[in-house]
Amino acid sequence: MHRNIFPLSSVPENKDVEMVSVQGGRGLQLRLASMGLNIGVKFKILRSVKKGPCVILIGNTRLVLGFGMASRVLVRILR
Amino acid sequence: MLKKITIALAGNPNSGKTTVFNNLTGSRQHVGNYPGVTVEKKEGYLKYKDYEIKVVDLPGTYSLTAYSLDELVARNFLIEEKPDVVIDIVDTSNLERNLYLTTQLMELGLPLVLAFNMYDIAEKQGFNIDKDMLSHFLGCPIVFTVATKKKGMQELLDRAISLFESKQSANADLLNYGREIQEEIAKIEKVVSKETNLGRKFPLRWLAVKLLENDRDIVEKIKASVYGEEILEQVKKSSRHLQVVLGDRPEALLADRRYGFISGACVEAIKRDYEARHNISDKIDNILLNKILSLPIFLGLMWLVFKFVFQFSEPLMRGIEIFQGWLAGFIGGFLPEGSAVLSLVVVGIIGGIVSVLVFTPIIFLLFFAMAILEDSGYMARAAFIMDRLMHKIGLHGRSFIPMLLGFGCNVPAIMAVRSIEDRRDRIVTILINPFMSCGARLPIYTLFIGAFFPEKIAGNILFSLYFLGILVAVAMAKVFRKYIFKGQSAPFVMELPPYRMPTFRGLLVHTWERGVLYFKKAGTVIFAGCVIMWCLSHFPYKPQDSKNCGRLSQQAAVSQKQSSQQEIFWLEQEKERLEKSYAGRIGKAIAPVFKPLGFGDWKVAVSLIGGIAAKEIVVSTLATLHSIDASKGWQSLRESLRKKTDAQGRPFFTPLSAYSLMVFILLYIPCLATIAVVKKETNSWFWASFVVFYTTAIAWAVSFVVYNLGMFFRIGV
C-alpha cells in the first residue's frame, strides 16, 4: 500500500505528487499548511537538487523547500 | 473634530501589502522578500473625509501561530491593541493559500475587510469571482484592488470606515470545523471561560482552537493561570478523543477543515478558466537555477557587485579627500597655528566628519547593489542555490540571506536572523555573521590595497579577503554544529517570488532608507570615536617635560631656515606627545601581541582598539596618528604608510604584513553596534561576550598562519 510513497527529496523533477504527511512537530505541520502545503494538496515538482533543496508549484505559488524539510514531507507520486 | 481610526494591514508576504500601505499613507518603503524586513512596526497617517486614520503595517505572515516571531508580533498587536479595522491584503491569483490567513483573522473576531489585490493579474489568468457571494460566505466585505495602479484604495477606506461606524466584526462561527471538533472546542471553551482574566483579553473560541493546536505561547499562558491544570486536562482529553474518532492529530484536522471551508466557498463563488502556464519566471529560473550554471552565475554576480562598488566609489572617495584638504586649510586659517584647538578642529573634528562622509559612496553603492538583487527576486533564489552547500555546514539556505546582508552591514544582517525559527540555527547564524566582511571594513581594505598592491590585482586581493571571511564562517559553523549545537538543522521552507523588474525609484528608496539607517548609527558613533581618539592621543598633554623638546627648541632658535626647522620641531613635539598619551601607552602595551602577525606597531595597535567602536575608525585613527607624522592630512596616508619604516629602517609594511593586517581586521572583534545587536537578538550577555573573544582568537590565529606561511614561501615580502 505504501509502495508509491516517497520523501519529497527523492522525487525527480516534473512529477505531479500529492502530499501525504509530514514527519515533524505540530508547529511544522501548521506552518506548511499556512503556506498552502496541507495534507491532500496536489502539486508539481519544478526543480530538485540531489541531496539539496527543491522548488514546488502549488497553484500559483512557488515554494523552496530545503533538503531537511523536503526529506520530512512524504508524497504520493501521481504522474 | 476628526474621528480617529486605527487600521491594521495584514497579509501574506508578496501580497502587495507594502504597496497598499504606501498608497494609503504616501510614505515610502521598499518591497522585498528577505526575512525580517517588516518585523519592525511601520505606521503611517492619513486624513480621509472626517477621519484621521492611523495605518499600521503588520509583518507579512502566512498565519498567526506562535511558530515564528513575525507571526507572534502580528498576532499580539491584533489582540492587545485591538485595531478598529483590519484590512487583509489577499493575492487574488493565490486565493486559497491567502485565505488561510483570513480564516485566522476571522477567528480573532475583529472588523475585517478583504482587499483582493492584484486583481488584474488574476483576471488575466482566468479567475472570475462572484464578489457578493464570496463576501457572503466569508462574512466580510471584499474590495477588488490593484495596488500598483492605485486602484480600489478609496473603496477600501470607505468600507473600513463603514465597518468602523457599524461596529460589525468578522463572524468566527462561519468557520465550521465539523460536529466532532466543534463539540470539543465548545468543551474547552467552557473550561477556559473560568479564566476570566484571559477571557477578557482573548476571544474564548480562539483560545480553545489555539489550545487544540498546541500553540506554544497560549499553552504557556494557560499553564501559568489558576485553572491551568484543569484546562490542559480537558485539552488533552479532547485531543485524544479527536485522534481516536477522526484518526488524525488535531492540528492537522484543523488545517484541513480550514482549507475545506476555503475551497467550499471558492468552488461556489469562483469560476476559473485556468491552466498552469509556464511563466517567464520559470524560464529565467531554467537558467539562473540551472544545476550546472547556478553557482557560477551566483558567484559571478557577487563578483560583479564588488567590482561595481569598488570601481564607482574610488573616484568619489578621492573627491571627498580633496574636499577635506580644502576644508582643513580654510578653517585652519582662522585658528592660531600650532595650538591644541587647531589640532582638535582639523584632526579631531574635520577628520571625524570626513571619516563619516568618506564611506558614504561605498555604503550606498553596496546597498544599491543589494537592493537590485532583492527587489528583482534573486535573493530568494540565492537561498535555494546555497541550501545544498549550507546544509553541509549544518545550516540551511535561509541562513545564507543574513550572511549575504552581512556584506552590507552586520547590524541589519543579524537582525534579519530572527525570522529563522529554530533557536540553535539562529545563534549559529548570528555567531558566524561578523566574519562576513561588512561595508565598514571596505575602506580599510581600499586604503591598504591601494597602498601596497598594484591596481591590476586590487580586485582579486579584495575578493580573496571576502572569500576568506566566508571560509572562516563556514568552518566555524561546522565547528559549532559539531560541538556546541549538535544535531540537524531545522527544516526550511520559503516562497519563491516571481521575478520583477526593479523600479529605479524603488531601488533609490530602498538604498536611501538603509543607507540613512547605517549613516545614523555610523555617523554618531564614528564621529564620537574620532573625538575620543583625539582626546586619548592628546592627554596627558605635557610636551615641555621632555628633554628632547628643549634641545629641539634651541635648535630651532639658532637655525637659519627657521620655517622648516619649526616644522620639524612641531612634528617631534607631536610625536612625543602621542607616544606619551593614553593611546600610545595602551598601544605600546599590546603591540607585542601583534608582532608574530607582522604588524607589531603601537600606532596600528591603537587603531585596532579604535576599530572596536566601529571598524571604519581604524582608518581615521591611522590617519590621526600618521597625519601628525606627515602633517599633511590623510590624503597622503597611503604615502606615509608606504614610507613607514621599522627600527632597522626597513619598510614596516610589506604586501604580506599589510595582507595579514587586513585579515586580522576582517576577523577580529565586531563593532560595538554589532555586539549590541548580538546581545539583543540572543538575549544573552554570554553570547555577546563570546562573540568578542572567539572572533579575536580566530583573527589572531588566522593572521598568524597567513603571515608565517607567507614568510615561509617568501610571498609578498
Side-chain angles (χ1 to χ4, degrees):
Chain A
M1 182 189 163
H2 291 300
R3 260 186 311 175
N4 206 14
I5 292 173
F6 300 94
L8 180 56
S9 55
S10 66
V11 180
E13 282 176 9
N14 289 319
K15 289 277 182 199
D16 287 302
V17 298
E18 181 187 338
M19 168 115 161
V20 175
S21 70
V22 192
Q23 315 283 303
R26 295 175 164 205
L28 190 61
Q29 186 148 13
L30 279 175
R31 168 87 175 166
L32 287 176
S34 72
M35 296 180 85
L37 200 58
N38 62 314
I39 288 161
V41 81
K42 295 183 175 70
F43 58 92
K44 187 187 177 103
I45 293 151
L46 288 182
R47 221 166 276 286
S48 175
V49 178
K50 207 173 179 187
K51 294 212 167 177
C54 60
V55 179
I56 60 171
L57 177 69
I58 308 173
N60 255 335
T61 312
R62 286 161 185 78
L63 294 181
V64 180
L65 282 82
F67 179 66
M69 183 74 248
S71 337
R72 295 195 199 185
V73 173
L74 296 184
V75 295
R76 177 181 295 117
I77 298 181
L78 299 173
R79 183 159 69 82
Chain B
M1 199 42 199
L2 293 175
K3 285 193 209 171
K4 289 189 174 162
I5 307 185
T6 305
I7 296 180
L9 297 185
N12 282 188
N14 299 308
S15 61
K17 194 164 61 65
T18 307
T19 318
V20 172
F21 178 70
N22 289 342
N23 284 346
L24 291 180
T25 62
S27 89
R28 293 292 157 204
Q29 231 189 340
H30 80 279
V31 189
N33 189 52
Y34 73 87
V37 74
T38 47
V39 89
E40 67 268 23
K41 196 163 123 189
K42 298 248 155 105
E43 294 179 337
Y45 290 87
L46 77 147
K47 284 200 180 86
Y48 183 75
K49 294 185 178 166
D50 295 332
Y51 301 88
E52 192 184 326
I53 302 173
K54 175 171 147 188
V55 185
V56 179
D57 191 18
L58 297 176
T61 60
Y62 296 102
S63 182
L64 293 176
T65 61
Y67 197 58
S68 90
L69 202 62
D70 279 3
E71 296 187 12
L72 205 56
V73 165
R75 171 167 118 182
N76 286 342
F77 177 83
L78 293 172
I79 291 167
E80 274 152 33
E81 319 245 333
K82 292 215 190 312
D84 298 308
V85 181
V86 180
I87 297 181
D88 176 16
I89 318 288
V90 167
D91 172 2
T92 315
S93 55
N94 269 317
L95 203 54
E96 268 99 339
R97 200 216 43 217
N98 276 257
L99 286 178
Y100 188 84
L101 175 66
T102 309
T103 61
Q104 311 270 297
L105 292 168
M106 283 165 69
E107 282 187 324
L108 279 177
L110 293 162
L112 183 63
V113 183
L114 303 182
F116 277 31
N117 197 25
M118 302 192 235
Y119 183 67
D120 53 341
I121 297 174
E123 226 171 14
K124 256 185 227 152
Q125 287 177 341
F127 280 76
N128 192 342
I129 300 172
D130 185 335
K131 191 160 78 169
D132 296 332
M133 194 193 284
L134 195 55
S135 164
H136 171 74
F137 284 136
L138 299 174
C140 36
I142 294 172
V143 180
F144 289 151
T145 61
V146 184
T148 47
K149 292 176 187 153
K150 302 196 176 176
K151 278 189 192 160
M153 296 299 126
Q154 289 220 350
E155 196 190 341
L156 209 50
L157 287 175
D158 288 333
R159 289 291 186 165
I161 287 168
S162 77
L163 270 192
F164 168 74
E165 291 299 348
S166 66
K167 305 265 176 256
Q168 200 176 25
S169 296
N171 186 359
D173 295 333
L174 285 174
L175 185 57
N176 192 322
Y177 286 107
R179 194 178 54 87
E180 303 278 354
I181 301 179
Q182 294 283 85
E183 274 173 19
E184 298 308 319
I185 288 175
K187 278 186 204 160
I188 298 172
E189 254 183 82
K190 210 174 143 202
V191 201
V192 173
S193 66
K194 291 184 187 170
E195 202 56 66
T196 46
N197 267 339
L198 285 168
R200 223 172 301 152
K201 200 165 151 196
F202 302 92
L204 281 182
R205 177 179 144 128
W206 184 82
L207 274 181
V209 170
K210 287 292 144 186
L211 284 169
L212 266 183
E213 275 180 10
N214 197 21
D215 184 277
R216 276 200 294 245
D217 188 51
I218 298 300
V219 170
E220 286 304 312
K221 282 199 170 80
I222 293 288
K223 250 188 208 154
S225 70
V226 186
Y227 295 94
E229 241 167 74
E230 193 184 340
I231 296 169
L232 291 179
E233 191 52 42
Q234 175 61 44
V235 173
K236 217 188 240 169
K237 235 163 65 190
S238 296
S239 295
R240 222 179 290 131
H241 174 75
L242 289 175
Q243 182 120 23
V244 172
V245 178
L246 299 172
D248 213 338
R249 293 187 297 191
E251 74 277 7
L253 293 168
L254 290 169
D256 187 60
R257 296 296 145 89
R258 285 182 193 130
Y259 273 110
F261 168 75
I262 292 166
S263 66
C266 288
V267 161
E268 293 283 321
I270 299 173
K271 300 239 164 4
R272 84 185 75 179
D273 160 33
Y274 170 75
E275 50 175 316
R277 263 170 297 185
H278 230 53
N279 68 16
I280 296 173
S281 284
D282 285 329
K283 279 182 193 145
I284 300 174
D285 277 342
N286 279 338
I287 302 164
L288 293 187
L289 297 186
N290 181 287
K291 287 199 171 75
I292 301 156
L293 293 177
S294 60
L295 200 62
I297 291 177
F298 174 71
L299 291 177
L301 280 173
M302 290 300 104
W303 185 82
L304 267 180
V305 165
F306 297 125
K307 197 81 187 159
F308 163 80
V309 171
F310 205 63
Q311 213 80 38
F312 284 89
S313 62
E314 192 59 23
L316 291 168
M317 287 171 71
R318 225 169 276 149
I320 292 171
E321 287 177 19
I322 292 167
F323 169 73
Q324 179 198 19
W326 175 84
L327 190 69
F330 180 74
I331 293 182
F334 295 102
L335 295 166
E337 210 173 313
S339 67
V341 182
L342 177 77
S343 160
L344 172 67
V345 171
V346 170
V347 181
I349 297 178
I350 298 182
I353 294 170
V354 169
S355 310
V356 177
L357 277 181
V358 91
F359 314 119
T360 15
I362 287 180
I363 296 299
F364 277 79
L365 285 169
L366 197 73
F367 279 145
F368 188 76
M370 291 288 162
I372 296 176
L373 293 180
E374 215 166 89
D375 289 5
S376 62
Y378 189 74
M379 277 288 200
R381 269 79 185 175
F384 172 80
I385 295 167
M386 298 315 293
D387 185 69
R388 195 175 153 196
L389 221 69
M390 296 297 284
H391 196 76
K392 285 197 180 135
I393 62 168
L395 293 169
H396 53 60
R398 208 159 173 174
S399 295
F400 194 76
I401 295 171
M403 284 172 77
L404 206 56
L405 289 174
F407 290 129
C409 179
N410 298 119
V411 174
I414 289 173
M415 280 154 64
V417 170
R418 67 173 73 157
S419 68
I420 298 173
E421 285 91 5
D422 187 72
R423 183 176 155 83
R424 298 177 317 159
D425 284 353
R426 222 163 36 222
I427 291 180
V428 174
T429 312
I430 288 172
L431 290 182
I432 62 172
N433 200 281
F435 296 135
M436 300 291 104
S437 189
C438 68
R441 277 168 262 188
L442 195 51
I444 309 172
Y445 308 148
T446 316
L447 175 76
F448 279 93
I449 292 174
F452 297 101
F453 295 90
E455 210 167 305
K456 249 189 354 211
I457 58 163
N460 298 347
I461 295 287
L462 183 67
F463 193 73
S464 76
L465 283 165
Y466 278 84
F467 195 72
L468 181 71
I470 298 171
L471 226 60
V472 171
V474 165
M476 287 320 294
K478 265 199 135 134
V479 169
F480 287 138
R481 267 291 175 208
K482 194 153 185 194
Y483 298 104
I484 305 182
F485 300 100
K486 292 172 195 163
Q488 277 232 316
S489 64
F492 122 89
V493 51
M494 83 188 275
E495 198 178 342
L496 213 53
Y499 285 106
R500 278 182 284 243
M501 194 63 202
T503 62
F504 192 65
R505 198 197 160 82
L507 291 179
L508 286 187
V509 168
H510 196 158
T511 309
W512 176 250
E513 280 184 346
R514 291 233 217 126
V516 165
L517 191 81
Y518 176 87
F519 210 172
K520 270 187 203 154
K521 167 223 137 197
T524 45
V525 176
I526 299 168
F527 182 73
C530 283
V531 174
I532 290 169
M533 283 316 293
W534 183 87
C535 292
L536 276 180
S537 54
H538 280 74
F539 296 107
Y541 183 69
K542 280 180 190 163
Q544 60 269 34
D545 288 356
S546 149
K547 290 176 246 153
N548 247 348
C549 181
R551 186 172 52 81
L552 273 164
S553 68
Q554 272 173 4
Q555 263 180 21
V558 296
S559 170
Q560 295 287 318
K561 288 179 177 178
Q562 240 195 337
S563 65
S564 86
Q565 281 292 350
Q566 196 108 43
E567 204 175 302
I568 293 170
F569 163 66
W570 192 69
L571 271 178
E572 284 299 318
Q573 192 179 317
E574 287 294 320
K575 241 184 209 162
E576 258 199 71
R577 175 165 66 205
L578 250 175
E579 276 197 70
K580 289 186 176 158
S581 70
Y582 295 119
R585 288 178 206 179
I586 301 170
K588 276 193 175 148
I590 63 165
V593 176
F594 301 120
K595 190 118 186 138
L597 313 182
F599 45 88
D601 172 51
W602 66 271
K603 290 180 186 174
V604 174
V606 173
S607 312
L608 289 174
I609 296 170
I612 299 170
K615 296 268 170 145
E616 40 296 47
I617 288 180
V618 172
V619 173
S620 58
T621 309
L622 274 175
T624 310
L625 294 177
H626 285 86
S627 71
I628 295 165
D629 275 345
S631 78
K632 275 178 194 138
W634 68 278
Q635 257 188 71
S636 48
L637 183 55
R638 276 180 187 159
E639 200 54 39
S640 62
L641 285 173
R642 249 185 308 229
K643 284 188 185 147
K644 192 179 174 72
T645 52
D646 63 10
Q648 282 85 44
R650 287 176 308 208
F652 178 78
F653 277 115
T654 59
L656 176 63
S657 59
Y659 193 77
S660 167
L661 175 61
M662 287 191 286
V663 168
F664 189 82
I665 290 167
L666 164 72
L667 303 173
Y668 87 124
I669 308 187
C671 70
L672 283 179
T674 307
I675 298 169
V677 215
V678 171
K679 155 73 180 65
K680 214 179 98 210
E681 296 297 319
T682 57
N683 203 13
S684 115
W685 279 112
F686 172 77
W687 289 119
S689 39
F690 181 78
V691 159
V692 170
F693 291 109
Y694 108 94
T695 52
T696 309
I698 298 273
W700 197 91
V702 176
S703 288
F704 182 82
V705 170
V706 165
Y707 183 67
N708 287 288
L709 276 182
M711 288 300 270
F712 185 76
F713 291 107
R714 317 293 303 159
I715 304 166
V717 271

